[in-house]
Amino acid sequence: MQTQTHALIGAYFFGKRDPTLMTAGAVAGMAPDLPMFAIVATLLAMGRRGQEIFGHDYFQPWWQHINGLAHSLILWPLALVVALVARRARPTTRWPAILLAAAAGGLAHACIDFLCHREDAHMQLWPISSWKFVSPISYYDPAHFGGAIMVLEAGLGLFMAWRLFRIAQRRWSRGLIVLVTLPYLATLVLLAANGARAEGGGDADSVSLGRFAMGAAGWSVVQIDKKVPLTRYTLVRRDDVAGIEAHADRSQALFVRDVDQALDQTPILCWRWRVAGVIDRADIRTRKGDDQAARILVGFSLPRETMSLVTRMKLSLGRARFGKLLPDGALNYVWDNKAPVGTIVPNAYTDRARMFVLQSGNGRAGKWVAERRDLLADMQSQFGTMAGRITLIALATDTDNTGSVAEAGYADLHLVRRGAPCRFQV
């Protein structure tokens, strides 16, 4: 949820109509996010761009550890226990009540974030564990109930603000409460406008997966092997195209977004990509050479009857290690170094992933190249079914096997109907 919502919750539910307690609850309700604001301000002052901060820096371990401690499900409950013990030991003293309101406000923030964050989830048991709960609900991603959550948050925020406005006595307090309602009103206006546009059919032929001009919400960097350095993914604008730029230096990682999308209406995947150059020592057919300068991975859930019992057992065992990164089947569209365009081969590690060579060599390196693939046709040709659903999409620039360096860009990922043009943003 938005930070001001946490502040309102702390003041409304734990303030007991007492100005001091309301202030304590509000300040502590915001407290878990304050380190993030300080880090962002520092990085901006150092010259980092917002896209780089939230597309790359945010997901680095040092920041994740700070976030985990600030949203700790160990420290905040401990503070609450201390406050309860202090209130019992000193029932006539003022400070235990203030500490109790503050601890409750901070713990409420931590619990709500635990339930409403997906790829941007926090390590809330750090330093005991780096585990994250990837919630099925996102407070902002429309693909995971984000629209409904934003409406619910706006309604709750306006209700709490109205009640607190009636309680507040000072002008500055009332003015501050009015100010924090503005994001909720803006949210409702934008959602209403988007709903009206959808009813008008403006986006009926297109499903956005990665329009990076407005950021990379819903996407996250996923490390495959903890022993291998991470490929760095950042939001950039190059040649007037907003996209994700990948920098790989003997590294590997995926830039992933969860998707739940049928293909019967919009089976055509469109995107643009570019490479600075291919990986000379790569070989798409071998594990030692399994590196690509640019790759788009589309994962599917497939009907059980299309997979043998042995295949289903292998997938179950594999998911114990890789989880959602091991779909029932995957189509990989690659920019290779030497394989002819049109080559289709199994992945060097698993025959559940197929590699399609769409570009080869350096002939078009340094330029944005537009692509268009019929996912439904490719899925049917490789897995014998048209009943699958997209479960994830990922970008990958890998150089760990060959020990190479590579740079690539990705932009404008979206689905369209057959016969409809791709809608590349200008």
Side-chain angles (χ1 to χ4, degrees):
M1 284 186 170
Q2 299 178 52
T3 302
Q4 78 273 9
T5 306
H6 294 297
L8 290 172
I9 288 172
Y12 180 75
F13 287 100
F14 310 116
K16 297 183 178 180
R17 294 177 172 265
D18 181 305
T20 302
L21 298 185
M22 290 168 62
T23 300
V27 171
M30 294 187 294
D33 286 344
L34 295 182
M36 179 184 69
F37 294 143
I39 292 170
V40 171
T42 301
L43 292 175
L44 288 173
M46 294 170 60
R48 294 287 284 176
R49 292 173 294 179
Q51 297 97 325
E52 295 173 325
I53 291 172
F54 290 105
H56 176 260
D57 299 332
Y58 178 87
F59 296 99
Q60 297 309 297
W62 63 268
W63 194 339
Q64 292 293 297
H65 295 162
I66 293 172
N67 266 351
L69 290 173
H71 294 78
S72 177
L73 291 177
I74 300 172
L75 298 180
W76 284 112
L78 181 60
L80 185 66
V81 170
V82 170
L84 290 170
V85 171
R87 188 179 67 170
R88 185 177 181 86
R90 297 175 177 269
T92 60
T93 307
R94 180 68 166 162
W95 68 264
I98 298 174
L99 178 59
L100 183 60
L107 180 58
H109 183 143
C111 291
I112 291 170
D113 277 10
F114 181 81
L115 297 174
C116 295
H117 282 250
R118 289 184 52 77
E119 289 80 8
D120 55 348
H122 310 304
M123 299 178 182
Q124 291 179 271
L125 298 179
W126 181 261
I128 293 176
S129 172
S130 60
W131 173 79
K132 298 180 180 180
F133 173 61
V134 180
S135 173
I137 297 171
S138 168
Y139 75 97
Y140 63 85
D141 186 353
H144 299 282
F145 312 103
I149 295 297
M150 285 190 288
V151 171
L152 178 63
E153 179 181 3
L156 177 62
L158 289 172
F159 171 77
M160 290 187 297
W162 171 65
R163 294 297 299 271
L164 290 171
F165 183 87
R166 296 182 63 188
I167 296 171
Q169 300 296 322
R170 298 180 180 179
R171 286 186 178 181
W172 70 266
S173 298
R174 289 191 165 192
L176 186 60
I177 292 170
V178 170
L179 186 63
V180 301
T181 65
L182 297 181
Y184 304 128
L185 297 175
T187 295
L188 294 175
V189 169
L190 288 173
L191 290 174
N194 289 338
R197 187 160 56 246
E199 286 185 10
D203 294 322
D205 293 335
S206 178
V207 176
S208 175
L209 298 175
R211 300 285 198 183
F212 298 116
M214 299 302 292
W219 291 80
S220 63
V221 178
V222 176
Q223 189 172 23
I224 306 300
D225 187 341
K226 293 184 178 180
K227 298 179 181 178
V228 177
L230 286 169
T231 294
R232 184 161 58 93
Y233 295 93
T234 55
L235 281 163
V236 300
R237 181 174 287 273
R238 186 181 292 273
D239 300 330
D240 207 31
V241 175
I244 295 295
E245 189 163 89
H247 295 269
D249 185 355
R250 292 161 288 184
S251 61
Q252 179 193 57
L254 298 177
F255 196 58
V256 181
R257 176 175 182 171
D258 288 345
V259 180
D260 183 12
Q261 179 70 38
L263 292 172
D264 52 343
Q265 299 296 318
T266 52
I268 308 300
L269 176 64
C270 302
W271 74 94
R272 289 189 281 186
W273 57 0
R274 53 167 292 280
V275 299
V278 298
I279 301 171
D280 293 333
R281 298 196 300 275
D283 186 344
I284 197 172
R285 292 177 172 84
T286 68
R287 294 189 177 188
K288 290 184 178 180
D290 185 36
D291 284 338
Q292 292 86 40
R295 174 163 57 107
I296 302 285
L297 182 156
V298 184
F300 300 95
S301 63
L302 302 173
R304 288 175 58 85
E305 59 269 18
T306 65
M307 299 177 286
S308 68
L309 176 61
V310 173
T311 296
R312 296 200 299 270
M313 291 176 64
K314 288 181 178 179
L315 288 171
S316 296
L317 291 173
R319 286 185 183 125
R321 178 181 178 186
F322 296 107
K324 66 179 183 180
L325 297 179
L326 188 64
D328 294 338
L331 302 175
N332 292 266
Y333 301 108
V334 304
W335 192 316
D336 198 54
N337 60 326
K338 60 185 179 182
V341 172
T343 298
I344 304 174
V345 296
N347 179 267
Y349 288 88
T350 172
D351 63 359
R352 300 306 300 173
R354 309 297 164 82
M355 315 295 283
F356 290 68
V357 178
L358 303 192
Q359 300 291 330
S360 187
N362 285 319
R364 307 181 78 178
K367 302 176 182 178
W368 285 106
V369 178
E371 303 285 4
R372 178 186 178 97
R373 290 298 301 187
D374 189 326
L375 295 181
L376 202 58
D378 288 345
M379 181 174 63
Q380 184 180 30
S381 70
Q382 299 304 306
F383 300 112
T385 181
M386 298 180 69
R389 295 179 67 89
I390 301 178
T391 57
L392 65 88
I393 189 164
L395 320 177
T397 296
D398 294 339
T399 60
D400 59 317
N401 292 318
T402 57
S404 305
V405 177
E407 177 186 300
Y410 306 86
D412 287 332
L413 286 87
H414 61 286
L415 300 169
V416 299
R417 294 178 182 271
R418 282 199 180 98
C422 293
R423 300 182 177 183
F424 296 119
Q425 296 180 332
V426 179

